[in-house]
Amino acid sequence: MLCRSFRGNPQEATYYIYNPTTNQYRLLPAMQGSDDPSWDSRIIFDVKLAFDPSKSPHYKVICISHNIDLPDHYQMEVYSSKTGSWKPSGSPFTGPDDARFSNGVYWNGAIHWFNILGVSLRFDIEEEQFREIPMPTFRGDLRYRHFEESGGHLYLMEVSDSDTSLYDVYEMARDMSGWFLKYKVDFHPIAAVFPEMLYGSDDIYRYTYTILGVIQEKTDDDSFLVLHIPNKKAIWYNFKDASFTMFHDFASLYTQVVSGVGRDIGRVFLFLDQRKIGSLEYCDTYQFIESFACV
């Protein structure tokens, strides 16, 4: 896990690599030039962990930043666990006018940035090169989308109709040539049991649930989706037959944490063990409050 901590200014964050299976962490060194006064002119857009244990025990961390004094000029920096240091990746470059470098996803050797209104890009870790990502044809609005990697697959979900309970789930081809429709999802049966997950009748943005993740198992028949709904429940939704089950209730934990800190914690992050959740045994949760946030 790549984590960060900061007080006040996120641009002055400290970054850590944390292994939840061993409970050990490594503090990453400061980026080159962070002690220079000109650093105050930089804005960090995204910092992402690139790690594939099937290929190497080593990992890299990718940072993309922007100099506010040089419009549309970006700089990539790469930290390597092998060398223990940061290095610039090439020279500052001019990005597309509509570039959006936030909430990147690591998959298939590259960091991918999904852009609703413009060009979507990926950064190849080994070649240190940018390439454009082909995207499905979407409606020209800001309807809800979910973008993530799971089990070696890259997924993109979007509302498929004016009804925010209907989704199309796309998967990227392994050769990154384009997307294909993998699943169609209907949350109406879940909303019938848990009506608090939707509100209103005419507003297109009438969802109050959160899609926590797509869990890709060894076979598509066993793969599922995890939802979090406002009354602090986690729902397991099977893609194949549209069955669903509430597998965890966070109500007591949420009440305990809120009473302990005297305020809403804002976010709860779930780390899902596919085998244990698949058999509905239990779900481990870790909570990062205030200055400790998952990147």
Side-chain angles (χ1 to χ4, degrees), residues 19-33:
N19 186 335
T21 63
T22 63
N23 204 31
Q24 295 180 327
Y25 71 93
R26 170 181 289 185
L27 174 66
L28 299 188
M31 298 178 198
Q32 294 184 13

Side-chain angles (χ1 to χ4, degrees), residues 98-168:
D98 56 5
R100 295 290 182 273
F101 295 110
S102 61
N103 301 317
V105 174
Y106 176 66
W107 174 74
N108 200 15
I111 306 293
H112 298 71
W113 289 278
F114 170 53
N115 187 357
I116 296 175
L117 300 177
V119 176
S120 295
L121 298 171
R122 74 175 190 263
F123 179 74
D124 186 282
I125 304 300
E126 294 303 321
E127 297 181 10
E128 297 190 5
Q129 295 288 329
F130 277 97
R131 292 181 174 85
E132 186 173 341
I133 305 173
M135 299 301 293
T137 300
F138 297 122
R139 296 171 181 260
D141 57 35
L142 299 178
R143 294 175 308 154
Y144 186 86
R145 291 165 171 88
H146 181 78
F147 185 53
E148 74 160 292
E149 180 275 339
S150 178
H153 302 259
L154 185 64
Y155 292 107
L156 175 63
M157 294 180 61
E158 82 145 356
V159 174
S160 61
D161 198 274
S162 58
D163 186 336
T164 55
S165 296
L166 300 175
Y167 282 82
D168 289 334

Side-chain angles (χ1 to χ4, degrees), residues 22-191:
T22 63
N23 204 31
Q24 295 180 327
Y25 71 93
R26 170 181 289 185
L27 174 66
L28 299 188
M31 298 178 198
Q32 294 184 13
S34 59
D35 55 352
D36 191 290
S38 63
W39 182 264
D40 295 336
S41 299
R42 295 183 64 185
I43 297 176
I44 294 177
F45 283 104
D46 209 4
V47 182
K48 289 298 171 186
L49 173 65
F51 175 53
D52 186 346
S54 67
K55 295 181 178 180
S56 171
H58 298 286
Y59 59 83
K60 292 183 178 180
V61 178
I62 312 301
C63 173
I64 183 165
S65 61
H66 166 69
N67 190 324
I68 60 177
D69 296 328
L70 298 172
D72 301 323
H73 279 66
Y74 302 89
Q75 176 67 59
M76 299 293 295
E77 294 182 75
V78 179
Y79 171 85
S80 170
S81 63
K82 187 179 294 187
T83 63
S85 61
W86 292 89
K87 73 174 184 67
S89 175
S91 302
F93 63 94
T94 301
D97 293 339
D98 56 5
R100 295 290 182 273
F101 295 110
S102 61
N103 301 317
V105 174
Y106 176 66
W107 174 74
N108 200 15
I111 306 293
H112 298 71
W113 289 278
F114 170 53
N115 187 357
I116 296 175
L117 300 177
V119 176
S120 295
L121 298 171
R122 74 175 190 263
F123 179 74
D124 186 282
I125 304 300
E126 294 303 321
E127 297 181 10
E128 297 190 5
Q129 295 288 329
F130 277 97
R131 292 181 174 85
E132 186 173 341
I133 305 173
M135 299 301 293
T137 300
F138 297 122
R139 296 171 181 260
D141 57 35
L142 299 178
R143 294 175 308 154
Y144 186 86
R145 291 165 171 88
H146 181 78
F147 185 53
E148 74 160 292
E149 180 275 339
S150 178
H153 302 259
L154 185 64
Y155 292 107
L156 175 63
M157 294 180 61
E158 82 145 356
V159 174
S160 61
D161 198 274
S162 58
D163 186 336
T164 55
S165 296
L166 300 175
Y167 282 82
D168 289 334
V169 182
Y170 295 90
E171 181 178 340
M172 172 67 84
R174 190 68 187 177
D175 62 3
M176 295 188 257
S177 59
W179 300 82
F180 59 91
L181 183 64
K182 185 70 175 285
Y183 307 110
K184 295 187 80 68
V185 173
D186 184 355
F187 291 156
H188 283 104
I190 303 178

